[in-house]
Amino acid sequence: MMASEGLATVVTVKLGSLSWNNYSSGGALRLLSPAQPSVHALRACSSSSCSRGVAGRWSAAASSATSAPVDSSSELEWPPVPREQVEAIRSLNGWVAENMLPLLTPVESAWQPHDYLPRSAAAGSEANKAFTEELAELRAAAACLPDDVLVCLVGNMVTEEALPTYQSMFNRTEGVGDDTGASALPWARWLRGWTAEENRHGDLLNRYLYLTGRVDMRQVEVTIHHLLRNGMEMLMPKSPYHSIIYASFQERATFISHGHTARLAVKHGDRTLSKICGVVAADERRHEAAYTRASAELFDVDPDGMVRALAYVMLGKVTMPGLLMSDGLGDGDGDGGGDSLFSRFSAVAQRAGVYTASDYGDMVEHFVRRWRVADLGGLSGEGRRAQEYVCGLAPKIRRMEELAHRRAARGEPGMARFSWIFNRAVVVG
């Protein structure tokens, strides 16, 4: 933990109190920087239970483990994805063409990063003088941003810049991936279009941060390099059900995070940053709508399989894409108190109100309502247990959050240093 106990990085709750039937065995559920079950522990998950979307059985130690390195000498053998999942996702190709592809903006009318930054022009021209003036205005406004907002902005940008990892994740997903690299199938076209739109986010945030002169861009670039090398583990990396549910949560989380950052930017007088975060958030909102609707269609096609997959994702924790970020200086050095860089970043985001445990609880409640989980009928025994677990999760998260807030209020806030802002300290907890 950091220098102070309490809410700090996350709301921590015992899985024993949030368990679905007998599929968990203690440990901690981290709502903002979720601990990821060890891949070694997941090897113990039986092929039959994993293939049915059951939450599996992992030890308390495994459920609270973070990003322990995988033994590269022994490849993890995942159970095959159930045929019915692949058939269900492929059956939506026509639906994707009619309902998801129209949500992509045509390139000709899409915004580009250059539209929201000082515009480059030929040397000596009037436009070049305007560029210089716009740059000065941008830097003057950015000078008013507090360090905690900068840390949140860098963390979000680093996460956006790991886009190759996320595209690879979808290409591993059976029934969705772009098998040829230029497939005309609707799912493949969506994946490429989604990637193209997402690619602008990291570009825009990266250039803005560079132009401000407020952050150590080399350390930021090293962090991006590390995150791309470290990658991201998914609990069921080839399952279309898990991937689409996961994408729904992540798109909504990024929409919320960028939206909160936009409001903080306005508060501190940086309207350029507010516009930047606002346009990124709008993209994330469209993408969330696409994946959420696709999930709703899958709930209609296979309600039992999807509710069990949803419970599995919730029990396994919605692992954040930036979980394995590192600045290469040794996580836990200095005032970090042993926490990972992602944990420190998450603690700042919680305190600043950029992304909080309350936001997570709201998301769970939103998706349970949006997918009408409580109304699902014709479920198997496992499906009913999954339904009960998922429907009761949000209130429990809120109760645990209240307890964590009380504990945090009794403690002293700690400090954490970030190489991104030239090793300055930021209050956490």
Side-chain angles (χ1 to χ4, degrees), residues 119-166:
R119 302 201 178 193
S120 54
S125 66
E126 287 298 318
N128 183 254
K129 294 178 182 177
F131 170 81
T132 303
E133 293 172 358
E134 290 172 9
L135 177 59
E137 292 173 3
L138 181 150
R139 298 191 71 165
C144 299
L145 294 174
D147 282 345
D148 59 349
V149 174
L150 285 176
V151 167
C152 293
L153 190 60
V154 171
N156 285 342
M157 184 271 281
V158 168
T159 303
E160 295 281 2
E161 290 279 48
L163 178 61
T165 297
Y166 317 142

Side-chain angles (χ1 to χ4, degrees), residues 17-44:
S17 65
L18 300 184
S19 62
W20 162 36
N21 196 28
N22 63 342
Y23 295 123
S24 76
S25 54
L29 172 59
R30 289 181 170 280
L31 300 183
L32 288 182
S33 54
Q36 193 164 307
S38 160
V39 292
H40 300 293
L42 284 172
R43 280 195 181 90

